């Protein structure tokens, strides 16, 4: 059986704390061709399916793991030869559900997607795993591949063993740490967004959303593809975006009042400038180069207004001149104070910028984490609206967390922590964008990102016991007690006017759900549904409550002990 395998090669590499994600674009194509060898495919299928970083792997072979996945609409095994005449065995799982994908309906360019595994035969005649990646194929017949490192392969492998994913949206959401979006109409603002709106003023058009989700929805409305990379909200309130020509065409303008420096420079030196963080850009300030603007971490946040462009300094016309003017951080300028043991243990995670006044909030936070002992690059998603660094959720990072300010905590419960690397939490819909939820000793923001650890006084108030499934959903445990709430929780309950008899009503259904899968109706759930319908009616949207939305509301009621 003869086969042709196409690998798309590209340019952009994003480094996280533990592994490299090589984002492949269609700049070149290498075709590997050859005739399949059933014997070699059989040998690979008989290999033990194991994890690279986890001690206890599953007791199954490669074919038992990969050939029986619920998420695969089809599976294909092929062989080929690489440039060195080595035999390569490739497995291709084509995901189900791409036609019904909410990511695709919200603008992602994808006609098919799946994961690809490759084993290469070495000089000793034995195969070894040499590549795993996620492939998304586009309408123009090109493809984008995300290559996984060892940690990401372990995460993917564990989901394969669990075998719970049944469609593309579930797999992509979990593996890429992105929420499954609602229907396209859910991204509609409460009123039209003028083109002159500054990029840090988008939250007003989505008053029920935290700043990050509001900005993402505004950009989706503007035509940004769902697959566009974003890195959180910066300290000036702007969505930080992957810097590509496509993204530049869509960015909102920046507020001239936020611009500290503007420079008209030769476009050829812009990439060199943007390879550096800028040491003397204020914590809540940005700088502009020609038509586009960046935060102190040299990350794209918007476009310059004509007012800013007119004032740009054209005297700086070379990278060396910028270096001489100390505009870009130089090695001798990066020396900073060394934090004391007390500072490392007691400083709240959103107060770290105060310890390094010459740095941007993100640079300050990452410096503090390095001093606390976290080696290498800090795996983060940028700063959230409370000023915390949003982190990759992994045991190697959890041990270095800074505490969160107890006044920022809205919900605190005891929890069985997720044991999957990179898992993100589905925070209750009732959690405001400027508040946190703490699950035992770990705290998360409204977007579900890890931001710090709970202080002893917060943990002392935790009574409700919950568990967290592999999808990040919070599930009430059989050990659940009446919750002892953090102070601000009581205020939230009073505002929502939740009926304290809801818990007794829920007890009438042992599973908390009806026979048809819908959660059992309680006064708490009824009030949340009524509020959702009222909001939908006010926005002219369909006020039908889906089963997924009802379940999320039920989880919120359970978390509140209602």
């Amino acid at each position: 059986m003869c086969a042709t395998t196409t690998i798309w090669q590209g340019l952009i590499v994003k480094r996280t704390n533990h592994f490299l994600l090589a984002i492949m674009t269609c700049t070149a194509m290498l075709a590997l061709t050859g005739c399949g060898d059933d014997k070699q495919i059989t040998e690979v299928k008989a290999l033990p399916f194991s994890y690279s970083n986890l001690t206890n792997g599953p007791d199954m072979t490669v074919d038992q793991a990969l050939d029986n996945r619920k998420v695969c609409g089809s599976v294909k095994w092929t062989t080929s030869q690489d440039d060195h005449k080595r035999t390569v065995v490739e497995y291709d799982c084509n995901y189900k559900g791409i036609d019904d994908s909410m990511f695709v309906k919200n603008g992602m360019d994808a006609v098919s997607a799946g994961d690809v595994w490759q084993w290469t035969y070495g000089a000793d005649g034995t195969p070894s795993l040499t590549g795993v990646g996620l492939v998304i194929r586009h309408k123009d017949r090109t493809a984008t591949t995300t290559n996984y490192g060892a940690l990401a392969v372990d995460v993917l492998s564990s989901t394969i063993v669990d075998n719970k994913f049944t469609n593309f949206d579930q797999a992509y959401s979990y593996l890429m740490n992105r929420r499954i979006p609602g229907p396209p109409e859910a991204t509609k603002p409460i009123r039209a967004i003028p083109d002159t709106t500054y990029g840090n003023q988008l939250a007003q058009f989505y008053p029920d959303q935290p700043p990050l989700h509001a900005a993402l929805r505004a950009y989706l409305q503007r035509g940004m593809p769902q697959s566009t990379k974003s890195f959180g909200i910066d300290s000036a309130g702007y969505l930080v975006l992957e810097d590509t020509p496509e993204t530049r065409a869509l960015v909102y303008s920046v507020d001239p009042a936020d611009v500290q420096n503007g420079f008209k420079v030769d476009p050829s030196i812009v990439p060199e400038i943007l390879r550096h963080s800028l040491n003397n850009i204020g914590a809540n300030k940005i700088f502009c180069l020609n038509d586009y603007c960046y935060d102190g971490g040299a990350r794209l946040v918007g476009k310059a207004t004509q007012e800013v462009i007119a004032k740009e300094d054209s005297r700086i016309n070379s990278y060396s001149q910028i270096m001489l003017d100390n505009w870009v951080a130089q090695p001798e300028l990066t020396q900073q104070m060394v934090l004391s043991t007390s500072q490392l243990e007691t400083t709240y995670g959103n107060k770290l910028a105060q310890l390094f006044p010459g740095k941007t909030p993100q640079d300050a936070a990452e410096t503090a984490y390095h001093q606390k002992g976290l080696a290498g690059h800090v795996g983060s998603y940028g700063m959230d609206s409370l000023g915390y660094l949003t982190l990759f959720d992994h045991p190697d990072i959890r041990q270095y967390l800074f505490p969160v300010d107890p006044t920022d905590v809205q919900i605190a419960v005891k929890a069985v922590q997720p044991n999957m690397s990179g898992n993100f939490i589905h925070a209750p819909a009732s959690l405001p964008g400027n508040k946190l939820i703490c699950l035992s000793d770990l705290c998360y923001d409204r977007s579900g990102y890890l931001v710090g650890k709970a202080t002893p006084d917060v943990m002392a108030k935790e009574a409700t016991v919950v568990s967290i499934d592999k999808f990040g959903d919070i599930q009430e445990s059989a050990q659940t007690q009446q919750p002892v709430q953090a102070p601000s929780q009581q205020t939230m309950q009073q505002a929502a006017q939740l009926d304290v008899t809801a818990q007794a009503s829920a007890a009438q259904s042992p599973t908390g759900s009806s026979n048809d899968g819908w959660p059992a109706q309680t006064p708490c759930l009824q009030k949340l549904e009524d509020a959702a319908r009222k909001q939908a009616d006010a926005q002219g949207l369909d006020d039908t409550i889906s089963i997924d939305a009802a379940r999320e509301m039920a989880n919120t009621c359970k978390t509140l002990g209602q």
Side-chain angles (χ1 to χ4, degrees), residues 394-418:
H394 186 269
D396 289 348
I397 290 181
R398 292 176 188 171
Q399 61 181 311
Y400 298 108
L401 295 173
F402 283 87
V404 303
D405 187 338
T407 62
D408 293 333
V409 178
Q410 177 103 356
I411 301 174
V413 292
K414 293 186 184 301
V416 179
Q417 297 298 343

Side-chain angles (χ1 to χ4, degrees), residues 192-471:
I193 304 176
D195 288 339
T196 56
T197 302
Y198 298 139
N200 60 351
Q201 296 178 358
L202 300 172
Q204 62 181 300
F205 298 96
Y206 299 90
D208 62 330
Q209 296 294 321
L212 174 60
H213 289 179
L216 287 171
R217 292 186 177 202
Y219 271 98
L220 287 173
Q221 279 285 305
R222 199 170 173 87
M224 182 182 77
Q226 183 74 41
S227 56
T228 301
K229 300 289 184 182
S230 61
F231 308 101
I233 298 290
D234 75 352
S235 58
Y238 294 94
L239 182 65
V240 179
L241 293 161
E242 180 182 13
D243 191 0
T244 66
E246 294 76 16
T247 306
R248 289 185 178 188
L250 294 171
V251 289
Y252 285 90
S253 298
V254 302
D255 186 342
D258 296 329
V259 178
Q260 178 173 317
N261 298 96
F263 296 92
K264 194 179 301 295
V265 299
D266 186 327
S268 65
I269 69 170
V270 169
E272 184 67 22
I273 296 173
L274 296 180
R275 292 193 183 101
H276 300 77
S277 294
L278 308 185
N279 70 310
N280 51 1
I281 297 297
N284 298 310
K285 293 293 184 179
I286 56 180
F287 70 96
C288 299
L289 298 175
N290 301 331
D291 295 335
Y292 299 98
C293 302
Y294 305 83
D295 65 7
R299 305 173 305 174
L300 179 67
V301 296
K303 65 181 179 181
T305 62
Q306 289 302 313
E307 175 187 348
V308 170
I309 292 174
K311 296 179 180 179
E312 287 182 341
D313 188 344
S314 60
R315 292 174 297 174
I316 294 181
N317 52 28
S318 70
Y319 176 70
S320 59
Q321 183 180 355
I322 290 176
M323 288 294 289
L324 289 174
D325 288 348
N326 291 328
W327 193 55
V328 175
Q330 299 182 64
E332 64 271 20
L333 298 177
T334 61
Q335 301 298 319
Q336 67 274 323
M337 63 174 289
V338 177
L339 302 183
S340 66
T341 301
S342 174
Q343 289 173 315
L344 290 173
E345 293 301 323
T346 62
T347 304
Y348 295 142
N350 61 347
K351 300 295 191 293
L352 298 174
Q354 299 174 7
L355 304 178
F356 303 98
K359 293 180 174 290
T360 66
Q362 180 160 342
D363 287 340
E366 293 186 355
T367 299
Y369 272 97
H370 286 147
Q371 291 198 15
K372 199 161 186 175
L374 183 59
H377 181 76
V378 179
S380 75
Y381 305 98
M383 308 299 290
D384 74 357
S385 58
L386 284 169
Y388 293 96
L389 186 67
T390 55
L391 296 158
F392 186 77
D393 191 0
H394 186 269
D396 289 348
I397 290 181
R398 292 176 188 171
Q399 61 181 311
Y400 298 108
L401 295 173
F402 283 87
V404 303
D405 187 338
T407 62
D408 293 333
V409 178
Q410 177 103 356
I411 301 174
V413 292
K414 293 186 184 301
V416 179
Q417 297 298 343
N419 57 14
M420 294 294 298
S421 302
N423 197 16
F424 62 97
I425 300 303
H426 290 163
S430 58
L431 185 68
N434 61 345
K435 289 293 181 182
L436 307 176
I437 178 172
C438 291
L439 305 171
S440 294
D441 59 336
L442 302 180
C443 299
Y444 301 82
D445 65 10
R446 168 68 189 276
S447 297
Y449 293 123
L450 179 66
V451 297
K453 64 181 180 181
T455 59
D457 57 330
V458 168
M459 294 182 65
K461 301 178 187 299
E462 298 176 345
T464 297
V465 180
V466 300
S467 62
I468 303 166
D469 66 20
K470 298 265 179 97
F471 299 98

Side-chain angles (χ1 to χ4, degrees), residues 99-114:
D99 292 337
D100 299 320
S101 166
M102 295 307 298
F103 285 106
V104 173
K105 289 180 179 179
N106 278 276
M108 176 184 283
D109 179 10
V111 294
S112 66

Side-chain angles (χ1 to χ4, degrees), residues 148-160:
Y148 292 139
L151 179 61
V153 173
D154 281 350
V155 173
L156 175 59
S157 298
S158 62
T159 68
I160 290 173

Side-chain angles (χ1 to χ4, degrees), residues 122-204:
D124 60 356
T126 59
S128 59
L129 184 65
T130 51
V132 181
L134 171 68
V135 179
I136 297 178
R137 301 170 186 88
H138 308 300
K139 295 176 183 177
D140 62 359
R141 299 188 179 184
T142 60
T144 300
T145 300
T146 299
N147 279 352
Y148 292 139
L151 179 61
V153 173
D154 281 350
V155 173
L156 175 59
S157 298
S158 62
T159 68
I160 290 173
V161 173
D162 292 337
N163 205 16
K164 290 185 177 180
F165 296 146
T166 61
N167 58 56
F168 166 74
D169 277 2
Q170 292 174 351
Y172 186 80
S173 171
Y174 186 83
L175 296 170
M176 304 306 290
N177 206 15
R178 294 186 176 210
R179 289 179 182 273
I180 299 175
E185 59 267 22
T187 65
K188 291 182 179 178
I190 60 173
R191 60 183 184 278
I193 304 176
D195 288 339
T196 56
T197 302
Y198 298 139
N200 60 351
Q201 296 178 358
L202 300 172
Q204 62 181 300

